Amino acid sequence: MASPRILVVDDEADLRELLEITLLKMGLDVDCAATLREARRLADDNAYNLILTDMRLPDGLGLELVREVSSTSKTPIAVITAFGSAENAVVALKAGAFDYVSKPVVLDELRVMVRSALKLSDPGAAQDAGGGTGSRLIGHSQAMQALRAQIGRLARSMAPIAITGESGAGKELAAREIHAQSSRAAKPFVAVNCGAIPENLMESEFFGHRKGAFTGAGEERDGFFQAANGGTLMLDEVADLPLAMQVKLLRAIQERRVRKIGATAEEPVDVRIISATHKDLAKCVETGAFRQDLFYRLNVIELALPPLRERLDDLPVLANAILARLAGPGGASLGPGVLEALRAYSFPGNVRELENVLERALAFANDGVIQVEDLSLKAARVAETARVEPPPVVATPPTPAAAPPMPAAAPVAPEATPLGPASLPSNLPAYLEQVERDIIQRALQQTQFNRTRTASLLGISVRQLRYQMQKLDIQAPEN
C-alpha cells in the first residue's frame, strides 16, 4: 500500500527542507514546490492527501491555491502564516483551508495537523471515526437536507464555526454532528454553557489550576481546553461571557496554548472551537458587550439553524422519534387531528418545546395514544394581552361531576384585578403572588388536585409546585 503523499509549497529553502524531513520521518512521501506555478503543475499531475502552502509566494498568494484546490477537489489544504498574522489565518479558513500553522513552525503542532488531515483524506478511517453515517438531525424537509449537506462540508475543515439559531433549535446537536463527521470524532466533545459558570470560577474552569493556586484548590485540575484536547470544544451561549474572560479566551484560541492558574508555563492544546448563541453577536459587538476581535475569530464560518416553524414537514418524523425515545418503539402514538393541531402552533421553543409538549401529553394519554385534548400548547402572549392568563389548552377535558370542591381562596386584593391600559398595581409583589396563586389553584382544580399532573400541566417539577404551594399557602382539600 502506497504511503500518503504530501505537497509542500514554500519559497524558503530552509523551511521547505525542514518540513520535508519532518514529513519523511512520519513515513510520508513528499513533493516540494517553490512557486505557485510549480505547485499548480504538481497538483494537476498528482493526487495528494494534503497540500501545505505558505501564504506569500514569489509569483502570487497561497490563498489563490487554497481557493482553487478547495473548489475543485476534496484534498485538504493547510496554510503557513507569519507569526501574529491571525487575520491571514481567518481569511484562509474562510476561503476553504483545512487548518493553519504559524511561523516559526512548531513541529509537534505540525504533526498533529498532518495526522488530522490524513484521517480526513481516508474515507474509511473517517467513517470509522464518525461511528457510521446515521445523523442526529432528524427531518426530510429541504431545509434539513441543506443543513446536513452544509455540515458535511464543514466537518472537513478545522475552521471555527459559529452556530446561530433560536433556543431549542438544536445547536448542540448540530455541533455534535460536525464533530462526529470530522477527523476528530474519536476524540472528546466537550460542551460548555458559558452562561452557567460563575464569573470568579471561569478562568479555572476553562484553563485549569495548579494545586494551592488559590484557596480551595486542593489538587491540580485540568480545564475544559485540556479535557477537549484533540477534539472539539463547544462554547454554548458564548455571548454571556464577561469581557475579561473574552480577552483570555481570544489569546487561547489564537495561540493554541493555555496557562493554568498558578502555573508559570503555557501548555499546547489542540481543540476545534464551535460556538453557539441565540443572540445576535454582531449587535452585541455594536453595543460593546462582545469584543470585535473575538467575534472575528469565532465567526469564521456561520451555520444558521432553521426554526421548527419553517420546517413543519418534519413534524411527523420528529414526533415519532421523540415518542419512541419516551415510550419505546410502538409504545405511544398520535391520535386523529393531533398533527394538524401541532402544525397550527408556532413553537417559539422549537424542537425542545415539541418534546416537552409530547412528554406532558403522554402523561395524560390513555393507552399511549395522544389525543388533541391531551395537548397543552403554550405561547407567550404578553404582547397580545395585558391580563395574565393560564397556559392555553387546545381542548379541555370535561370536569367530572364528582370533582372535589376547590378550597377557599384568599380574598383577591384590588391590585390583582385585570389591569387596564392606564392602571398599574400599587403593590407589584402582592399582585404577582395573587396571580400565581390563582393560576396554580385553577390547574389543581383541573387535575382534581393531582400534583404530578398539575406540575406537568404547568411545565414545572413537582418539587417546584410543592414549594410554590407552601410559599403561597395553597392547601389541598382533605380526603
Side-chain angles (χ1 to χ4, degrees), residues 258-471:
V258 297
R259 178 186 287 119
K260 291 182 176 180
I261 298 177
T264 58
E266 293 181 328
E267 55 184 284
V269 288
D270 171 34
V271 297
R272 185 186 192 179
I273 300 293
I274 298 180
S275 60
T277 180
H278 70 281
K279 297 180 181 179
D280 188 332
L281 271 187
K283 289 185 178 178
C284 293
V285 171
E286 292 177 4
T287 60
F290 202 82
R291 291 181 61 94
Q292 185 176 23
D293 46 8
L294 180 57
F295 170 75
Y296 189 61
R297 289 296 297 171
L298 294 177
N299 200 46
V300 174
I301 301 175
E302 182 175 336
L303 178 66
L305 299 190
L308 181 55
R309 61 182 174 275
E310 293 181 5
R311 55 185 191 99
L312 292 177
D313 290 345
D314 292 333
L315 269 176
V317 64
L318 278 171
N320 289 334
I322 291 171
L323 291 177
R325 188 172 72 253
L326 294 175
S333 61
L334 302 178
V338 173
L339 272 178
E340 288 71 16
L342 293 174
R343 289 180 189 275
Y345 185 57
S346 62
F347 285 102
N350 293 289
V351 180
R352 185 184 297 129
E353 185 177 7
L354 172 64
E355 183 171 354
N356 291 339
V357 166
L358 293 178
E359 188 172 7
R360 287 196 300 269
L362 194 58
F364 293 112
N366 293 322
D367 300 324
V369 180
I370 296 175
Q371 305 295 340
V372 174
E373 56 267 23
D374 298 324
L375 298 175
S376 173
L377 301 179
K378 302 187 296 181
R381 303 187 182 274
V382 176
E384 300 176 7
T385 177
R387 60 193 179 89
V388 180
E389 298 179 339
V393 180
V394 173
T396 305
T399 305
M406 181 176 178
V412 178
E415 293 84 5
T417 58
L419 299 175
S423 62
L424 291 172
S426 59
N427 186 333
L428 182 60
Y431 174 83
L432 293 176
E433 281 192 3
Q434 186 58 45
V435 169
E436 189 174 9
R437 181 182 292 109
D438 290 345
I439 291 174
I440 292 177
Q441 287 176 333
R442 292 178 192 176
L444 284 167
Q445 185 182 36
Q446 182 173 326
T447 62
Q448 301 181 41
F449 295 88
N450 183 311
R451 295 189 183 187
T452 301
R453 293 179 62 190
T454 300
S456 179
L457 179 64
L458 295 177
I460 61 178
S461 67
V462 176
R463 179 180 295 179
Q464 287 175 302
L465 176 65
R466 189 183 302 117
Y467 171 78
Q468 294 300 106
M469 290 178 65
Q470 292 174 351
K471 185 182 77 170

Side-chain angles (χ1 to χ4, degrees), residues 85-118:
S85 300
E87 294 80 5
N88 288 340
V90 171
V91 171
L93 291 171
K94 286 187 175 181
F98 162 76
D99 206 348
Y100 69 94
V101 290
S102 300
K103 293 181 181 179
V105 176
V106 179
L107 295 183
D108 285 342
E109 294 180 5
L110 173 69
R111 294 185 187 99
V112 169
M113 185 270 290
V114 170
R115 292 189 187 101
S116 294
L118 294 181

Side-chain angles (χ1 to χ4, degrees), residues 38-49:
E38 187 179 359
R40 284 170 172 157
R41 180 183 61 80
L42 288 170
D44 288 340
D45 295 342
N46 302 281
Y48 292 103
N49 298 86

